[in-house]
Amino acid sequence: MTVLSTAKLFSGLFLVAGLAACGSSSEEDVTFASLDEERDEILTDLAAASPTLDMPTSGTAYYEGVAGFKVGSAASSVADMDFLADAALAADFGAGEIEGDFYDFHDTSGNSLTGNFKVEDGVITDNTFSADVNGSYVQDGVVATLEGTTTGTFLGDDAELISGDVTGTVSYVDGSTADMFGDVSMREDD
């Protein structure tokens, strides 16, 4: 990635984060329930969409949405999720790269969790992508570090939607580990 494309990609991520902040009056407005509602709206769009057949070959797109996570086993519904998070990704179609963050975690009990997962070294191939996901979060006073991957598919006529999965291993300070599973539902931020 060139220095210029890196600068453009990170500028876009800051723009996405800034736009997300403009959409609500304060960070307190984000809750598990509000993330779940946003996720449901995006899932409705995803259910009506097909994988993108004619992918863009240049330009960038910025996506916002929700990522849900479950430690130990895959969740069968949002009620099974351990926590939801805001998600922001930036796709550089010309370079075939994607990066971003999962942030602002909220658990099912209504607690805000400290943490951030970076989505890095992402590669777009045809209408799919894969990327590394690394970071940490604190839940109930316990620090957990994630090392994983995300894979996804672009959907819609203009690649305006993303549906994806997250898998990885969570490590705790006591040396124990657990599997983590997640899903990602996103739409392009106009």
Side-chain angles (χ1 to χ4, degrees):
M1 179 185 279
T2 66
V3 171
L4 182 56
S5 64
T6 300
K8 286 181 185 177
L9 192 57
F10 284 111
S11 296
L13 287 175
F14 289 124
L15 175 64
V16 168
L19 290 174
C22 292
S24 64
S25 61
S26 71
E27 287 297 319
E28 290 78 37
D29 292 336
V30 177
T31 64
F32 186 91
S34 69
L35 289 170
D36 184 30
E37 182 177 324
E38 179 182 0
R39 182 177 179 266
D40 284 346
E41 291 171 7
I42 297 170
L43 287 174
T44 298
D45 293 342
L46 288 170
S50 298
T52 304
L53 299 177
D54 189 20
M55 285 292 292
T57 57
S58 64
T60 56
Y62 306 100
Y63 298 87
E64 291 185 337
V66 178
F69 300 96
K70 173 80 173 149
V71 177
S73 62
S76 59
S77 72
V78 73
D80 293 335
M81 295 285 184
D82 290 325
F83 56 92
L84 297 178
D86 276 318
L89 294 176
D92 181 336
F93 295 112
E97 299 172 344
I98 191 164
E99 294 183 343
D101 290 281
F102 303 141
Y103 61 97
D104 204 6
F105 304 141
H106 294 270
D107 69 16
T108 56
S109 299
N111 299 309
S112 177
L113 311 179
T114 302
N116 183 302
F117 297 157
K118 293 282 187 195
V119 179
E120 303 174 302
D121 301 323
V123 177
I124 300 170
T125 306
D126 298 322
N127 64 355
T128 65
F129 69 88
S130 63
D132 296 333
V133 178
N134 298 296
S136 62
Y137 65 98
V138 179
Q139 187 171 26
D140 299 326
V142 177
V143 177
T145 302
L146 171 67
E147 289 186 27
T149 59
T150 182
T151 57
T153 303
F154 292 93
L155 295 104
D157 293 338
D158 300 313
E160 66 270 18
L161 298 165
I162 290 176
S163 177
D165 296 307
V166 178
T167 57
T169 302
V170 176
S171 302
Y172 300 96
V173 292
D174 67 1
S176 63
T177 62
D179 293 330
M180 178 178 273
F181 301 90
D183 63 51
V184 181
S185 305
M186 304 183 78
R187 60 179 152 216
E188 189 171 3
D189 180 34
D190 300 324

